[in-house]
Amino acid sequence: DNAVRPLCGHKAPVLCMVIWKNHVYTGGTDGAIIKWNEYGEKGSVLLGHTSAVCCLLVHNHVLWSGSHDQTVRGWTETDKCTLVLRGHSNWIVGLLAFEHWLVSYSTDRTLKFWDGNSATADHSCLHDDAVRCAVKWQHCLFSGSCDDSIKKWNIDGNCVATLQRHTHYVNSLLVWEGFLFSGGRDGIICMWDYDGACLQVLTGHTKSVTSLFKWRSCFFSGSLDGTVRKWRYSQRADYQRMIQRAASAFAPPTAQ
């Protein structure tokens, strides 16, 4: 066990965490948010949610939490809940800062735009199925859904493009080196330009691609096939900014 110090306090699995004001905040399926100092000492317990806390975000000097209880809560530096945002009709799965908006997305098929001052959403965006992921890219918001599509939204919440290439759920989105990458339950990673054209399909995973993460000059993909794959640039005359799979896939050791 190489852990410097385990942080014990939740009564159920931890789903998310964020750093704010030199503290770590963790959200769990027990509905609690726990504040920890740099020494791993437990501080305040922020209570209010009645179901799992699945996402945390700091935006405009407020800590925001999204929950399976269908609400978003805003917390001050003194750990007080000052605003409860209601409007979703199913689990909230993610929060995102988009320009001056706080955006929440949910399995109820919607993304909702909040100004952070009112308990009512300013406007909503609609997919045909649950929204699983979202990312900001330049002046637009891109969202991936169980309807197998990615939608591009402008600041007013209008859909300006629908990106279609996946044949199953879109699980994850990543903006890297001037492109958008999407990982799907179909096991592929798609590479898109800002206008929504699919430039390339990256293959190698044999099961659902669940996560994408960038680090230095490469990005990594995690999959239900038990591997993590590393991807890098390939400089070619015919397509200068093409992405090619690096010769590396990390997998757990096989059982003896």
Side-chain angles (χ1 to χ4, degrees):
D1 185 356
N2 295 320
V4 175
R5 177 177 180 175
L7 278 59
C8 301
H10 284 282
K11 300 176 182 178
V14 176
L15 298 179
C16 55
M17 62 178 64
V18 70
I19 296 174
W20 187 38
K21 300 290 184 180
N22 296 318
H23 288 84
V24 176
Y25 291 80
T26 56
T29 55
D30 54 7
I33 301 168
I34 299 180
K35 179 180 181 180
W36 312 84
N37 67 18
E38 60 183 311
Y39 304 106
E41 297 168 338
K42 181 180 175 182
S44 304
V45 179
L46 286 58
L47 298 176
H49 286 296
T50 58
S51 189
V53 178
C54 58
C55 48
L56 294 168
L57 174 74
V58 177
H59 176 58
N60 286 342
H61 310 292
V62 177
L63 174 66
W64 298 96
S65 57
S67 171
H68 288 179
D69 66 10
Q70 306 173 17
T71 70
V72 177
R73 287 179 175 264
W75 307 85
T76 67
E77 296 180 30
T78 57
D79 307 324
K80 303 297 182 182
C81 179
T82 58
L83 192 61
V84 181
L85 310 181
R86 306 180 190 274
H88 284 290
S89 59
N90 212 326
W91 292 358
I92 294 170
V93 296
L95 296 170
L96 183 70
F98 178 43
E99 305 299 341
H100 62 283
W101 298 109
L102 171 70
V103 179
S104 58
Y105 50 96
S106 166
T107 55
D108 66 5
R109 305 184 298 156
T110 69
L111 300 94
K112 293 189 179 295
F113 288 60
W114 315 83
D115 65 11
N117 297 312
S118 171
T120 303
D122 186 86
H123 52 274
S124 297
C125 304
L126 182 65
H127 270 275
D128 292 330
D129 208 332
V131 183
R132 298 181 66 87
C133 52
V135 67
K136 177 184 179 293
W137 187 16
Q138 296 184 27
H139 301 295
C140 285
L141 181 70
F142 292 77
S143 57
S145 169
C146 290
D147 62 14
D148 309 342
S149 77
I150 300 165
K151 288 187 179 292
K152 178 181 179 181
W153 312 91
N154 64 19
I155 190 66
D156 298 317
N158 299 316
C159 181
V160 295
T162 299
L163 289 57
Q164 294 182 310
R165 175 58 178 84
H166 286 284
T167 58
H168 219 316
Y169 301 168
V170 179
N171 290 324
S172 54
L173 295 171
L174 171 71
V175 175
W176 184 65
E177 298 293 347
F179 298 103
L180 175 69
F181 295 87
S182 57
R185 193 173 178 181
D186 49 14
I188 66 173
I189 300 169
C190 293
M191 173 181 172
W192 311 84
D193 68 15
Y194 189 70
D195 294 325
C198 184
L199 304 178
Q200 191 179 1
V201 176
L202 311 180
T203 59
H205 285 296
T206 58
K207 291 185 179 180
S208 178
V209 178
T210 57
S211 58
L212 299 172
F213 183 79
K214 58 185 175 182
W215 186 35
R216 295 179 180 175
S217 61
C218 297
F219 82 88
F220 297 78
S221 56
S223 168
L224 292 183
D225 63 12
T227 69
V228 176
R229 289 185 176 268
K230 179 181 178 182
W231 310 81
R232 61 173 172 79
Y233 273 127
S234 176
Q235 299 294 334
R236 295 186 179 184
D238 59 337
Y239 197 52
Q240 184 178 3
R241 303 197 72 181
M242 192 173 183
I243 301 296
Q244 176 183 329
R245 185 181 57 188
S248 57
F250 311 100
T254 56
Q256 301 295 321

